[in-house]
Amino acid sequence: DSGVTQTPKHLITATGQRVTLRCSPRSGDLSVYWYQQSLDQGLQFLIQYYNGEERAKGNILERFSAQQFPDLHSELNLSSLELGDSALYFCASSLGQGMPGGYTFGSGTRLTVV
Amino acid sequence: TQLLEQSPQFLSIQEGENLTVYCNSSSVFSSLQWYRQEPGEGPVLLVTVVTGGEVKKLKRLTFQFGDARKDSSLHITAAQPGDTGLYLCAALRANFGNEKLTFGTGTRLTIIP
């Protein structure tokens, strides 16, 4: 157990639908990062939050949004889902904004859009 | 164009053999990390290298950061089936304000018993 909790572990939904993925960071970590992993694109950075504020954005689609709540858990919202959104979505956390301690990853949510 | 190119993309060798995988870039990094990812799990941090030329050892794994801090290698001695997995290098650019950690393309390693 890495200490980062992601739910649900698996999600199957239809095109056009909206889903919410949830992440609880490791105790004490203030930064949360969301990544998308697909076979052809590898591990792609989506967005980062630090202590409730958005700090960095990657190639995140406009149909996707995220937030970090006062208790530091984070949610990634995916809407108007398309078949190409099928992927593994990982959340990671770290104590601060740098990388000396590395990121701790959750086990991911496998999203299948049918 | 990928910031971090890893090679080989796939590697399958017999148990007991040695191997080296590489992580290359044209950019300079303040530090670089190696992760291993097993099926159904998230990446797990193996090591962070910070100083150009630095060598770190983790049991049978030896990590080296290039002198110019643009590349890194991972050498595994006497590979075991438990070493099977996806090996990812990751880095932040030196003097770059964006906080994101960028991952390489990965090397999928299979150790055959």
Side-chain angles (χ1 to χ4, degrees):
Chain A
D1 181 7
S2 68
V4 177
T5 303
Q6 288 189 249
T7 57
K9 194 163 179 65
H10 300 278
L11 196 51
I12 301 175
T13 189
T15 55
Q17 295 298 304
R18 172 189 170 95
V19 297
T20 297
L21 312 184
R22 195 179 192 276
C23 169
S24 293
R26 194 178 57 166
S27 178
D29 285 354
L30 298 178
S31 280
V32 169
Y33 312 81
W34 286 98
Y35 282 82
Q36 180 191 57
Q37 188 176 39
S38 57
L39 282 175
D40 58 343
Q41 292 291 321
L43 204 58
Q44 299 291 319
F45 171 75
L46 295 178
I47 197 164
Q48 180 215 351
Y49 283 84
Y50 175 76
N51 204 20
E53 294 185 4
E54 181 184 308
R55 285 304 175 99
K57 236 175 181 177
N59 297 324
I60 186 168
L61 300 172
E62 285 190 10
R63 300 184 285 108
F64 296 0
S65 65
Q67 54 184 328
Q68 186 179 29
F69 295 87
D71 66 353
L72 301 178
H73 91 272
S74 178
E75 292 181 356
L76 178 67
N77 301 295
L78 315 176
S79 61
S80 303
L81 285 167
E82 302 175 359
L83 295 177
D85 298 326
S86 295
L88 273 166
Y89 291 84
F90 286 102
C91 167
S93 71
S94 68
L95 176 61
Q97 299 188 76
M99 64 180 283
Y103 290 9
T104 301
F105 281 81
S107 297
T109 293
R110 181 175 292 279
L111 173 66
T112 303
V113 182
V114 296
Chain B
T1 303
Q2 288 283 351
L3 178 65
L4 292 164
E5 293 282 352
Q6 290 187 242
S7 61
Q9 189 176 358
F10 298 95
L11 183 59
S12 183
I13 64 170
Q14 293 290 134
E15 180 178 359
E17 294 184 353
N18 302 331
L19 66 107
T20 303
V21 298
Y22 301 92
C23 175
N24 294 294
S25 176
S26 57
S27 299
V28 177
F29 301 110
S30 57
S31 58
L32 188 142
Q33 297 182 330
W34 283 91
Y35 289 78
R36 180 169 67 207
Q37 184 179 15
E38 298 184 21
E41 298 296 329
V44 175
L45 178 67
L46 295 174
V47 76
T48 301
V49 285
V50 178
T51 307
E54 180 178 3
V55 176
K56 278 191 173 178
K57 291 194 174 185
L58 184 65
K59 296 183 181 178
R60 293 176 294 100
L61 278 60
T62 301
F63 303 85
Q64 184 163 8
F65 201 13
D67 291 341
R69 293 184 292 138
K70 291 183 178 182
D71 53 81
S72 181
S73 64
L74 159 59
H75 181 79
I76 301 179
T77 304
Q80 298 179 3
D83 296 327
T84 293
L86 177 65
Y87 287 81
L88 297 159
C89 62
L92 286 169
R93 281 183 186 169
N95 303 316
F96 187 56
N98 194 318
E99 300 297 336
K100 69 178 181 181
L101 186 64
T102 300
F103 283 83
T105 50
T107 292
R108 194 166 296 276
L109 175 64
T110 302
I111 308 301
I112 304 166

